[in-house]
Amino acid sequence: MKKFIVLLCILSIGCKAQNTSVQPTGLIANKAMVVSAREEASKIGVEIMKNGGNAFDAMVATELALAVAYPYAGNLGGGGFMVYRKANGETGTLDYREKAPLAATKDMFLDKEGNVIAGKSTKTPLAIGIPGTIAGVFAVHKKLGSLPMKEILKPVIELAERGVIVTQKQEERLNSYREELIKINGSNSVLSKVYKENDIIKYPTLANTLRRISKNGRDEFYKGETAKTLVAYLKEKGAIITMEDLAKYEAKWRDPITFKYKDLNIISMAPPSSGGICLAQIFKMIEPYDLSNMGHNSAAAIQVIVEAERRAYADRSFFLGDPDFVKMPLKALMDETYLKQRMSSFNLDKATLSSDIKEGKVNYNESMETTHYSIIDQFGNAISATTTLNAGYGSKYYCDALGFFLNNEMDDFSAKAGVPNMFGLVGNEANSIAPEKRMLSSMTPTIVEKNGKLFMSVGSPGGSTIITSVLQTILNVAEYNFSMQQAVNAPRFHHQWLPDLITFEPNTFDTKTFETLKGKGYLINEKTTPVIGKVDAILVLPSGALEGGADFRGDDKAAGF
Ligand code: DON
């Protein structure tokens, strides 16, 4: 009888916990998980961990498997950022962002009259920044990895040789880019050819490049045969990257941007990404408002978030750039009094106009197409990494001799103060071009702690919409009790100060919400727009199990054990 009562108690406690906690809707795994843009890459990362590797070994494998399976954004010819939290609570970040070549100049994308030449920073060989990805994965492996590099690269090389199945979305993407790819690379280049869903594309040249890197290490890419082949190719095309540029490239360990939002501790990327600072500013500006009572995606909640976004992106445009080149008032920008004061011009009756918002006044005395994946391992280590070629297939320049695309990241610089880049972002002196400088990014790989414990790993591609997509995903879980998968699926909106428009995911919001917002003076972008973010995330459930959130907007997939 006693036993029966105890059992009843346990059951009723269990039921209560079930009623109050959220039902997961994404893939559940007990120990370890990878969520990335392609199932092949997620599975390779998981295999590495099953074989005893940690999240950092899995990061190397996943990053390079994406270069094989997702050439749209995965890369050897681009760069990225990684945020980590070790099982012991230690945190850090790695910056493997591209750099401007030594021969780059401030006015390199301007004509004689000083006007920006359309397309020069996106569609010419001058758009290419010095790639950071190989330096990045080797830096991670050296500091935090546990398995031999050869063992990590083996399944990636095998994937390149075996080939990757074309998905329906990939077929559509290749169709829409084919003309451009043929124009630049000719019709014999591997991705210029016509592929249908379920065809298999093999990448033998990329497999050879990876095999040489596996044998000779990091310097193969920056000083060896691969470097020589790459520089010869770039020179022939008219790019300005030299052997010296490659030899001088270093990935950099940087302190993360860390801040609190209610009971969460959020760890994100520092400059040269604007992600962490903007995320911190927006979270701090919205913290005083009762978003959960206002309701998910209600007009009032949208207003509060949009007004905070407007102000944060105005600061981004003025203050942020590469910390090795510009002094930035980072502490002042994250100061609670400053941010409260910044929101004081907002009330719920009426939209603030972006033309009335400039960068804030802060004290200067202080020293001043992309893909994301999240990994948690069986030891409790977590990583969040976003990597990019910038546009889809980057500059579209594909080095056939090496088997990869080159980025067009130079467009992330501000070619001219106040003139928007391909994401409509405007910049200033802080983000002007200089030799060896890193261009400002919006990539926001982020890790969230709750009650001192690992809670979430999250991030997204999407250019300027990355920051607001990460923000909404965290809010969906923290304020609205969504499961990880629901939080990723939920419709999103975006505002970036200029242009002064709220962009909504098409056909997902209530027209009544639009009417309310319009009545208050908000301008709404009603045109069909590209997707807002494509979030891949992992949530640690109260039981300790992991729930994946893989974005249905792409072919993204969670895998785990
Ligand atoms: O670093 C940045 O902010 C951009 N180069 C990211 C580009 C991107 O997310 C494109 N993906 N949709």
Side-chain angles (χ1 to χ4, degrees):
M1 184 66 185
K2 217 173 167 187
K3 264 192 191 160
F4 181 61
I5 291 170
V6 171
L7 185 67
L8 262 186
C9 286
I10 292 172
L11 279 178
S12 75
I13 291 167
C15 287
K16 256 192 202 142
Q18 284 244 313
N19 284 340
T20 50
S21 71
V22 190
Q23 282 297 324
T25 53
L27 180 84
I28 303 290
N30 286 324
K31 292 186 175 160
M33 184 176 278
V34 181
V35 189
S36 84
R38 282 290 303 224
E39 185 170 18
E40 293 83 346
S42 299
K43 280 188 168 163
I44 283 181
V46 164
E47 260 333 289
I48 292 290
M49 295 191 285
K50 263 192 190 157
N51 294 341
N54 63 20
F56 305 103
D57 299 320
M59 181 256 170
V60 175
T62 308
E63 173 96 19
L64 296 178
L66 283 167
V68 177
Y70 193 59
Y72 187 55
N75 65 82
L76 263 64
F81 297 104
M82 190 270 289
V83 175
Y84 70 85
R85 181 188 186 277
K86 285 167 62 174
N88 65 6
E90 198 183 305
T91 60
T93 80
L94 183 70
D95 159 1
Y96 52 104
R97 179 71 161 166
E98 298 93 322
K99 279 169 55 172
L102 285 159
T105 60
K106 188 173 169 182
D107 297 340
M108 63 190 277
F109 298 125
L110 306 185
D111 63 16
K112 281 196 194 107
E113 280 75 48
N115 299 315
V116 173
I117 301 169
K120 199 166 180 187
S121 63
T122 51
K123 294 182 174 184
T124 73
L126 294 179
I128 304 168
I130 303 154
T133 298
I134 292 298
V137 295
F138 273 88
V140 169
H141 183 253
K142 187 171 173 195
K143 182 172 164 139
L144 301 157
S146 67
L147 296 180
M149 196 57 149
K150 282 201 169 70
E151 200 175 314
I152 298 172
L153 291 183
K154 193 168 168 265
V156 182
I157 296 168
E158 283 167 1
L159 177 68
E161 277 169 344
R162 193 169 65 239
V164 183
I165 296 174
V166 175
T167 64
Q168 190 201 338
K169 287 194 171 86
Q170 189 179 11
E171 179 189 329
E172 287 163 13
R173 268 196 307 269
L174 284 169
N175 283 342
S176 67
Y177 281 90
R178 184 160 306 109
E179 207 176 304
E180 253 185 293
L181 294 178
I182 290 176
K183 204 170 122 206
I184 292 185
N185 304 308
S187 45
N188 282 331
S189 185
V190 62
L191 287 171
S192 297
K193 296 180 185 151
V194 178
Y195 297 101
K196 293 264 165 272
E197 186 183 357
N198 293 324
D199 283 353
I200 292 177
I201 310 181
K202 294 186 180 182
Y203 300 94
T205 324
L206 180 56
N208 283 340
T209 301
L210 289 167
R211 208 175 283 115
R212 281 196 309 278
I213 292 171
S214 174
K215 183 163 172 253
N216 303 327
R218 173 203 185 281
D219 280 355
E220 169 62 31
F221 190 89
Y222 292 96
K223 295 176 183 164
E225 185 192 326
T226 302
K228 286 182 197 139
T229 308
L230 181 58
V231 168
Y233 166 79
L234 290 170
K235 197 170 167 201
E236 186 210 316
K237 296 289 170 192
I240 52 176
I241 294 176
T242 61
M243 286 300 283
E244 189 185 359
D245 278 314
L246 288 178
K248 284 184 93 170
Y249 186 87
E250 292 288 346
K252 294 197 171 186
W253 296 99
R254 300 192 188 273
D255 289 336
I257 296 290
T258 304
F259 61 94
K260 292 214 166 353
Y261 174 76
K262 300 187 176 172
D263 60 349
L264 304 180
N265 189 41
I266 300 178
I267 302 142
S268 192
M269 193 62 218
S273 179
S274 62
I277 289 286
C278 285
L279 195 66
Q281 287 195 307
I282 300 169
F283 265 118
K284 282 293 172 196
M285 283 191 266
I286 65 178
E287 196 171 29
Y289 299 86
D290 192 349
L291 284 182
S292 72
N293 246 343
M294 288 175 174
H296 180 251
N297 281 348
S298 64
I302 292 171
Q303 272 188 275
V304 170
I305 294 169
V306 159
E307 294 298 345
E309 289 173 354
R310 188 197 306 280
R311 287 157 175 81
Y313 276 80
D315 280 356
R316 175 198 195 278
S317 157
F318 188 79
F319 291 109
L320 302 185
D322 181 348
D324 297 339
F325 284 73
V326 285
K327 290 185 180 228
M328 286 173 276
L330 299 186
K331 261 200 203 130
L333 287 172
M334 287 169 45
D335 179 77
E336 287 196 32
T337 317
Y338 165 70
L339 292 168
K340 239 188 213 138
Q341 197 271 328
R342 199 101 170 95
M343 279 297 264
S344 63
S345 56
F346 159 64
N347 69 64
L348 275 165
D349 299 336
K350 199 167 167 286
T352 312
L353 293 178
S354 284
S355 52
D356 292 337
I357 292 285
K358 297 271 170 293
E359 71 281 359
K361 298 215 176 328
V362 296
N363 187 353
Y364 260 111
N365 292 335
E366 180 192 350
S367 290
M368 298 232 251
E369 224 61 41
T370 309
T371 186
H372 175 84
Y373 55 95
S374 290
I375 303 178
I376 296 181
D377 70 17
Q378 64 277 32
F379 312 110
N381 302 302
I383 74 105
S384 173
T386 315
T387 178
T388 188
L389 289 165
N390 198 25
Y393 306 112
S395 61
K396 323 289 183 276
Y397 282 87
Y398 187 86
C399 179
D400 279 297
L402 297 173
F404 58 82
F405 280 107
L406 278 308
N407 67 81
N408 61 349
E409 220 73 58
M410 292 293 283
D411 187 64
D412 273 346
F413 278 118
S414 169
K416 183 181 179 180
V419 177
N421 73 356
M422 70 182 229
F423 297 107
L425 290 166
V426 288
N428 256 293
E429 189 51 37
N431 189 31
S432 62
I433 306 171
E436 295 202 79
K437 190 172 172 184
R438 283 154 146 95
M439 50 301 273
L440 186 64
S441 172
S442 301
M443 291 190 277
T444 315
T446 298
I447 290 177
V448 184
E449 293 174 345
K450 191 171 178 175
N451 304 322
K453 291 199 182 124
L454 177 64
F455 185 56
M456 190 191 294
S457 170
V458 55
S460 176
S464 55
T465 70
I466 293 174
I467 301 166
T468 57
S469 300
V470 170
L471 173 93
Q472 288 169 81
T473 307
I474 299 173
L475 286 175
N476 288 345
V477 172
E479 293 287 355
Y480 301 111
N481 271 334
F482 286 16
S483 75
M484 190 72 263
Q485 187 63 57
Q486 286 168 337
V488 167
N489 289 353
R492 296 193 274 261
F493 58 92
H494 170 75
H495 195 290
Q496 60 180 46
W497 178 49
L498 295 175
D500 189 351
L501 286 174
I502 314 179
T503 300
F504 291 89
E505 278 194 89
N507 310 319
T508 54
F509 282 77
D510 198 347
T511 44
K512 265 200 220 129
T513 310
F514 288 170
E515 293 315 314
T516 310
L517 290 168
K518 281 187 200 163
K520 293 182 175 191
Y522 288 92
L523 302 169
I524 287 170
N525 182 3
E526 289 182 273
K527 284 192 231 133
T528 307
T529 52
V531 290
I532 299 181
K534 197 156 72 66
V535 177
D536 283 338
I538 306 175
L539 185 69
V540 182
L541 301 171
S543 64
L546 308 171
E547 182 195 351
D551 208 317
F552 75 96
R553 295 162 182 88
D555 293 320
D556 304 45
K557 202 88 181 176
F561 65 93

